Amino acid sequence: MTTGGPNLARRPDGAALVIALILAVIAGVIIWQTSQMRLPPVQQRVGPTVFPYVIAAGLLALSLGTLVQALRGSFPPREKGDMGPMLWIVAGLLAQIMLLSTAGFAIATGLLFAFTAKGFGRGPLWQTIPIGIVFALLVWFIFARGLQLSLPAGPLERLLP
């Protein structure tokens, strides 16, 4: 018969403790950086510092909740992670970072799309790379031409009027 309470036989969840610590550190950095902002006296009451403090408070609350759950040991057991899909997604992010300034937004983001699709088990790369490039080119056109925002232009973007 179970009492519905925490399982006292379980040890504290180490991964959840690390996550709680990371959340608290991020909140601390946000609080520290926000406190360093210099504002004119007109904006001291409600200004650009309000929302960073709200976000930091939310992160601290999440950190505290995660810490409590980790110490209770009440997180369900996790499955072992599959490294293959994660490596595809990380490779896509690295490809985008390295190619963004040279190949342009469409090609770099198209590769990110294709590698992420491969990580999720969708389609071969020869099929998903062109699809990703077309979608990214459409996004680039909307943001760069329609909204006049500056996105990195590569050879494909220079072909557009």
Side-chain angles (χ1 to χ4, degrees):
M1 183 167 136
T2 60
T3 60
N7 185 355
L8 298 177
R10 292 184 74 180
R11 296 184 338 196
D13 190 339
L17 288 172
V18 170
I19 291 170
L21 177 66
I22 290 171
L23 288 170
V25 167
I26 292 171
V29 168
I30 291 172
I31 291 169
W32 173 62
Q33 286 291 308
T34 304
S35 70
Q36 299 300 312
M37 291 175 68
R38 299 290 171 233
L39 300 173
V42 175
Q43 294 182 349
Q44 284 184 353
R45 284 190 159 192
V46 177
T49 60
V50 172
F51 285 105
Y53 284 131
V54 169
I55 290 169
L59 286 172
L60 284 174
L62 288 172
S63 174
L64 183 62
T66 304
L67 177 67
V68 169
Q69 293 296 323
L71 293 176
R72 287 183 177 172
S74 58
F75 281 108
R78 289 176 292 280
E79 298 176 8
K80 184 174 171 112
D82 188 7
M83 291 301 290
M86 288 187 276
L87 291 176
W88 275 107
I89 294 170
V90 168
L93 286 168
L94 291 174
Q96 184 186 35
I97 290 169
M98 291 187 297
L99 294 173
L100 200 56
S101 62
T102 56
F105 181 82
I107 292 173
T109 306
L111 287 174
L112 172 62
F113 174 87
F115 282 32
T116 303
K118 181 73 171 173
F120 281 103
R122 299 287 181 194
L125 288 176
W126 64 265
Q127 185 180 30
T128 55
I129 288 174
I131 292 170
I133 289 174
V134 167
F135 281 140
L137 199 56
L138 179 65
V139 168
W140 181 88
F141 188 78
I142 290 169
F143 279 84
R145 299 287 193 235
L147 298 174
Q148 300 297 315
L149 296 176
S150 177
L151 292 176
L156 291 179
E157 291 86 359
R158 289 186 190 100
L159 293 175
L160 294 176

